Amino acid sequence: MWHLITAPILLPMLTAIIIMLPPVHYSPMRRRWISMISSAIQLVLAVVLLMQVQQQGLLHYAIGNWQAPFGIILVADTLSVVLVCLTSFLALGAICYGSAGEDEKGSFFHPLFQFQLMGINGAFLTGDLFNLFVFFEVLLIASYALLIHAGGKNKTKAAVHYVVLNLTGSAIFLFALAVLYGTLGTLNIADMALKVAALPEQDLMLVKSGGLMLMIVFALKAAVLPLQFWLPATYASASAPVAALFAVMTKIGVYALLRVYTTIFGDTAGELSGIADSWLLIAGLATIALGAVGVLASPDFRRLVANLVLVSVGTLVALVALNTPQSAAAALYYTVHSTLVTGALFLVADLIASQRGKAADRLVSGRRVAQPVLLGVMFVLAALSVAGLPPMSGFIGKLMLLQAVQQPLQQMWIWSLVLLSSLMVIVGLSRAGSSLFWRVSGNDCGTEKAEPLQIFAVCWLLAASPLLVIFAGPLTELAQQAAMQLHDVSSAVNLIIAPGNTGSAP
Amino acid sequence: METLVACCIGFLTACGIFLMLRGRTFPVMLGLTMLSYAVNLFIFTSGRLTLRGAAVLGTSEHYADPLPQALVLTAIVIGFAMTAFLVILAIRARADLGNDHVDGKLPDADSFKKESR
């Protein structure tokens, strides 16, 4: 059981390799089944790991038994394991949807998908900043290839922008890491927290510039305002299961922001505590506003959902900037809710687009959809949830978020922007829904029906929303516990770095 | 030696950024490559510049920090793979879109003339 923490990284990697081996690779059915079964096992293992973390507190695992701070370690606390569970849950839905036919439109869909899961899980579980960079690259190179899966002009165009931007981001990430290593002498997150607390005066500015460069990189991954231009085009052009998985990719940026700016530059960091907070608050609020305007201005439904991703990212980044246990708990609940709902919306958008003939998902009058009741119900449930209306999970998420804001000035800005953006989202979604379902030309409808596996995938993701409401009590407790654990930096550091075992500066 | 290395890194970064801001995929790619060279040199110097030092900690007074060397190796491998991917993607974009502009379409003839003037 000690090695369980490596399972979310090793299992997708081995699955990807198995899928590429000849007896499996030449049979589409075997590829699909192995991919689906493996991600179901991943979900079970992630839940087991979560229970273990609940019982024993923070777990850490020294890879190759090289002790921290010299070796690379994996760290599982409640926050990271909940996010691993979230990824596995989302991935199972996306793979089921992809297995209904989308995966055969290009080659190597399932191996790439598994490699991307490996990168995402690794990024959540690692306790070392350079290792975080490596896992970022693993998930990025898989996402580059998945983005152009099934081909097409739009995808190639979006992919060029996406790849160039992320390569630039990687270069800045490396600059930041080199600056931090040069001054702190370590890249282990826990050890960095120790070193930052006892930083000599002359190194302050260097570490500050390194820390803020990290903010730029994570803001690029999370798509926060000045760095968000890549997101709508990329997400709108990716094929549906890929876009659904991408819903969790921006959250990795948010997670990295949360991790770095509470553990390393948190309350214990002395002069450098909260260096990014004022930047992040403004950028987050501006992202919410821009996303909400984008929702109203979108010419097609997939772009609208991509803008909904922006709204949720802005909300999360504003919560990260508040830097209190309450805001971290709200951010965790909101992350789980918004990831699953936007993932489901990308899948619903694809189902609608495939049944509307030439009009696809553009918000113009088009052919009648073949299954209006099924798709309509799915759309309404997802829309209610994402807009934050009472019976669904979005409502509780927004409630926690509003409660987490305590200073009057912050309340004024955050409450008004979040509530106003909710209104704009409702307006945008009503407009989209009425054009997609009611503005029909002619009486004939297409013959293309949704596959059972596709319906299952959408229901799987949508079911999460009422479940998040029914089990809201235990889940908010879990989120609060995760937030307390995240903010309890000193005990985590003491656990990871054995006393008297601190690395020496170069 | 520090000044020379610092100037090198600065010059490479400046060239890289200039090339990255061009409109065609090939200069952008070259720019990214130059930027990654600059990054690699920069990581290498983060362990301080030492002459004739063995890369072993703890056995002698005079040593070179081995960790940045390991980091730079990883960064080189990753950067190389990413550049290779970008080259293929750029060729694909040239084939799919019919031109090598990063936006997939050439700017209008008028504004293009103004730019080149």
Side-chain angles (χ1 to χ4, degrees), chain A residues 94-116:
Chain A
I95 287 176
C96 286
Y97 191 94
S99 296
E102 191 74 33
D103 56 345
E104 292 303 307
K105 290 183 185 164
S107 41
F108 298 109
F109 175 83
H110 290 294
L112 286 168
F113 209 93
Q114 296 290 340
F115 275 128
Q116 179 155 15

Side-chain angles (χ1 to χ4, degrees), chain A residues 130 133-134 137 141 144-145 148 151-153 156-157 159-161 163-164 167-168 171 174-175 178-179 181-182 187 506, chain B residues 13 20 25 28 32 35 39 42-43 46 48 65 67-68 71 74-75 78 82 85-86 89 92-93 96-97 102-104:
Chain A
F130 197 82
F133 164 76
V134 173
E137 297 302 309
I141 197 149
Y144 300 156
I148 47 174
K153 275 185 181 180
T156 318
K157 207 167 87 178
V160 171
H161 289 190
V163 173
V164 169
L167 283 180
T168 320
L174 285 173
F175 272 121
V179 168
Y181 182 78
L187 287 173
Chain B
T13 314
M20 263 165 51
T25 44
V28 170
L32 277 169
L35 195 65
V39 166
F42 189 69
I43 297 176
S46 74
R48 308 293 183 272
D65 192 347
L67 194 65
L71 299 184
T74 316
I78 291 177
M82 294 293 172
F85 183 84
L86 184 59
L89 184 66
R92 167 97 177 252
D96 276 6
L97 306 169
V102 285
D103 283 334

Side-chain angles (χ1 to χ4, degrees), chain B residues 7 9 17 22 28 34-35 38 43-45 49 53 59 63 68 70 76 78 81 93 95-97 99 116:
Chain B
C7 290
I9 296 171
I17 290 175
R22 309 299 298 166
V28 170
M34 284 204 174
L35 195 65
I43 297 176
F44 192 71
T45 53
L49 296 170
T59 49
Y63 60 81
I76 290 172
I78 291 177
D96 276 6
L97 306 169
N99 63 70
S116 57

